[in-house]
Amino acid sequence: MTHAHLITDPADALTFAFGGNARFTLVSQKTGNRKTYRLKEKADRFGSVFFAQLLTGPDNTADYTYLGYVKQRHEGLIAGGKGNPNHPAFVALDWVLTKLAAGDMPEQLEFWHEGRCAKCARVLTDPVSIERGLGPECANKE
């Protein structure tokens, strides 16, 4: 059983988003719109790249569409050759990541994680792990 958790601290949200295998939902309190994203890390000889995807179908483990990538956690989202920088979900994620990197959690934003580790995607059951968004083994690897 997974436990959804609201993250209210911008540094914690940014750490979770860039955990390596994070799935999270952004909710606008103003409009009620919500979008679920996945940021998945791919490391190579030049460093880490985080590929951003949007949940676009009913299977929340497989139905994701590529949006773009982030080279470093304090840079904005880059569309690349296959992304669309004008897509509303791209614009929203880029805005949120920029705000979080600046230490700002927008008042009208809710940042939820699904109760899975941001690094390995295992279900979290311990309240401390759920709060932090990382299981005990992955937290020790930080």
Side-chain angles (χ1 to χ4, degrees):
M1 172 184 204
T2 60
H3 304 277
H5 180 73
L6 177 65
I7 299 176
T8 57
D9 179 76
D12 291 345
L14 195 66
T15 297
F16 182 84
F18 289 99
N21 193 15
R23 287 187 290 207
F24 53 92
T25 299
L26 302 177
V27 180
S28 168
Q29 292 179 350
K30 183 177 179 181
T31 66
N33 290 340
R34 66 182 176 89
K35 299 287 184 205
T36 298
Y37 296 93
R38 179 167 60 186
L39 274 181
K40 195 162 188 166
E41 182 177 21
K42 173 84 170 143
D44 64 20
R45 64 186 177 157
F46 302 110
S48 292
V49 175
F50 294 85
F51 292 96
Q53 299 172 315
L54 173 69
L55 180 63
T56 54
D59 183 346
N60 63 9
T61 61
D63 290 343
Y64 286 85
T65 301
Y66 174 82
L67 289 175
Y69 64 91
V70 181
K71 286 187 177 181
Q72 296 183 23
R73 59 188 283 171
H74 298 293
E75 280 184 6
L77 193 58
I78 301 165
K82 296 181 181 180
N84 178 358
N86 298 316
H87 191 288
F90 180 101
V91 173
L93 181 59
D94 185 46
W95 180 80
V96 168
L97 293 176
T98 300
K99 291 287 189 181
L100 295 176
D104 179 25
M105 178 64 81
E107 193 173 297
Q108 70 273 20
L109 174 72
E110 291 181 356
F111 185 109
W112 291 87
H113 78 75
E114 65 178 344
R116 291 185 175 267
C117 179
K119 190 174 282 296
C120 71
R122 288 184 184 146
V123 173
L124 300 172
T125 57
D126 177 68
V128 172
S129 296
I130 294 167
E131 181 75 26
R132 145 179 86 213
L134 292 167
E137 292 175 24
C138 292
N140 288 332
K141 293 178 186 174
E142 289 293 303

